[in-house]
Amino acid sequence: MTADAAYPNDHPARTAGHGGLAESPFLLACRRRPVPHTPVWFMRQAGRSLPEYLRLREGVPMLESCTRPEMVVEITMQPVRRYTVDAAIFYSDIMVPLRAVGVDLDIKPGIGPVIADPIRSAADLDVLRPLVPDDVPYVTEAVEGLVGELGGTPLIGFAGGPFTLASYLIEGGPSKNQERTKAIMYGEPELWSRLMERLADLTIAFLKVQIAAGASAVQVFDSWVGSVAAQDYRESVLPHARRIFAEIEPLGVPRIHFGVGTGELLGLMGEAGADVVGVDWRVPLDEAVGRVEPGKALQGNLDPAVLFAPWETVERRARDVLTRGRTAEGHIFNLGHGVLPSIDPDVLARLADLVHEASTEDPR
Ligand code: CP3
């Protein structure tokens, strides 16, 4: 089967060029190459808001759903069928590799990750043994299945960033102030750095499994790292983030680096080495261009809450993001953070179409 034959419909987003991954607008934009239209995908597009997702997940706990390859393939495909998005995001969770090496944890609906025995001393580190591909056979199987189904639409693999993983492990669950996490980061630098090293190893291994199975790009979600001051990021997080991106580089797939509330960290996140820096909605993209070193594409950054406003507002704001995005060397349209659970999927569908139409009228 050719890549063209795999396109599920004839929308321009899918028929640009000759189809196939080499022509993927998403991958081209990550590489800062010319694109026929600005590519778009939505963080957290898989799962969360779609009724067909909620039906499928009925009675199946979140983490268990991630271990069923058929379910993972189906949930990853659902938004690709509904929206003209230029990429799929693998349905999994940042906690999956931790659980796979034996950390006793659960994801509770409406709460998030909960850790049975939080990590707070050197002795607690032993549970974080290295991850091998055999720990996550369901990931390999699902990614391989998806690559076949997706045809010319690239699959984005992902993992958690080390600060965000550390914060769940140390706090034992979601935390507003990250107080225990920061107490260790500030006060026990040796323990902190050993923990971060192990988490970076896990992230690297989990990304490598997804790339080996066929993922075309990866995103590191260091979602909660925005709570750290720039100087502390430089000392306590950057070396680990840098190692993650350096170890993935030889595999040849674009690397995206994202966190929430990271306006003050954008320059350092660029220095960490990814090809694309994700920007939340707080910093306009043309301003972000000045904060990130040259040679990077940007991803973002419509406030997900804008989608609850009347369509005229959504359209005006989305066009503004596109205009500002033109000042970047490459731009991938996205939300500034994930799709919110109560969003109407029809608004996302319309937004994906708008991004394509507006950027085709006036291509880069
Ligand atoms: O669509 C996608 O982006 C793909 C799948 C994905 C999930 N989690 C599935 C999921 C991705 C990329 C993630 C990443 C993730 N997981 C992050 C970073 C992304 C971000 O939003 O910043 C974080 C911090 C987590 C940890 C986590 N898992 C949280 C905070 C929650 C939400 C808890 C809740 O119910 O509010 C989860 C659960 C989760 N992960 C769901 C999904 C679809 C919802 C679970 C459900 O419906 O039962």
Side-chain angles (χ1 to χ4, degrees):
M1 186 172 69
T2 66
D4 281 334
Y7 281 112
N9 62 38
D10 62 0
H11 188 280
R14 300 216 187 291
T15 53
H18 303 291
L21 287 173
E23 308 272 343
S24 150
F26 166 75
L27 294 174
L28 289 169
C30 289
R31 300 284 188 214
R32 298 170 284 118
R33 306 288 302 271
V35 287
H37 59 252
T38 302
V40 52
W41 68 282
F42 304 117
M43 291 187 279
R44 314 300 299 273
Q45 68 189 21
R48 280 216 158 172
S49 69
L50 293 181
E52 57 269 35
Y53 162 73
L54 297 172
R55 271 197 304 277
L56 195 64
R57 273 283 319 283
E58 252 168 52
V60 185
M62 170 67 203
L63 282 171
E64 193 189 322
S65 70
C66 297
T67 67
R68 297 191 189 181
E70 272 178 36
M71 199 175 262
V72 171
V73 170
E74 173 57 23
I75 296 172
T76 303
M77 291 305 295
Q78 285 174 347
V80 178
R81 292 192 200 108
R82 272 210 188 227
Y83 314 132
T84 56
V85 284
D86 296 274
I89 175 91
F90 186 59
Y91 176 78
S92 186
D93 196 84
I94 62 169
M95 306 311 283
V96 164
L98 292 172
R99 165 111 135 197
V101 298
V103 178
D104 186 353
L105 68 91
D106 198 3
I107 295 186
K108 302 226 155 100
I111 298 174
V114 177
I115 317 293
D117 306 304
I119 290 187
R120 290 176 190 162
S121 72
D124 300 333
L125 290 176
D126 288 344
V127 64
L128 298 174
R129 65 159 175 84
L131 178 105
V132 295
D134 279 349
D135 292 318
V136 286
Y138 41 86
V139 170
T140 299
E141 194 182 328
V143 172
E144 285 175 355
L146 276 163
V147 170
E149 289 232 2
L150 281 163
T153 302
L155 177 69
I156 305 170
F158 73 92
F163 179 88
T164 300
L165 296 177
S167 91
Y168 282 119
L169 287 173
I170 296 168
E171 306 290 339
S175 160
K176 194 163 159 234
N177 298 320
Q178 319 280 7
E179 51 262 58
R180 290 174 186 271
T181 310
K182 288 185 176 178
I184 293 179
M185 184 181 83
Y186 294 133
E188 296 182 72
E190 193 164 326
L191 172 60
W192 175 258
S193 126
R194 287 175 61 197
L195 172 60
M196 293 291 275
E197 268 164 33
R198 290 198 188 212
L199 294 173
D201 286 341
L202 270 178
T203 288
I204 291 163
F206 192 56
L207 294 176
K208 282 185 173 173
V209 168
Q210 296 170 71
I211 297 166
S216 311
V218 289
Q219 175 156 325
V220 172
F221 284 91
D222 214 350
S223 299
W224 312 139
V225 78
S227 71
V228 174
Q231 188 192 330
D232 294 307
Y233 184 93
R234 184 186 289 284
E235 271 172 33
S236 305
V237 183
L238 181 61
H240 307 283
R242 200 174 252 153
R243 188 162 66 85
I244 292 170
F245 293 113
E247 291 215 22
I248 297 305
E249 183 172 25
L251 304 179
V253 304
R255 302 150 297 164
I256 310 171
H257 192 184
F258 171 78
V260 185
T262 49
E264 298 296 329
L265 304 178
L266 289 173
L268 292 169
M269 288 175 75
E271 281 180 38
D275 304 283
V276 183
V277 176
V279 183
D280 87 354
W281 65 92
R282 293 171 179 88
V283 180
L285 289 178
D286 51 334
E287 166 74 28
V289 166
R291 299 190 188 186
V292 176
E293 65 190 28
K296 306 283 170 186
L298 298 184
Q299 175 173 280
N301 73 344
L302 188 70
D303 184 344
V306 163
L307 302 181
F308 295 92
W311 174 253
E312 294 65 40
T313 306
V314 178
E315 173 162 359
R316 183 169 44 81
R317 295 280 186 150
R319 286 182 182 272
D320 183 57
V321 169
L322 283 169
T323 304
R324 294 176 191 274
R326 282 173 182 284
T327 63
E329 294 178 46
H331 176 215
I332 298 125
F333 190 101
N334 207 313
L335 303 177
H337 194 195
V339 170
L340 295 164
S342 55
I343 193 60
D344 174 0
D346 292 343
V347 177
L348 283 175
R350 213 170 160 187
L351 176 59
D353 291 345
L354 170 71
V355 169
H356 290 140
E357 283 154 23
S359 60
T360 313
E361 282 159 19
D362 187 15
R364 293 177 65 89

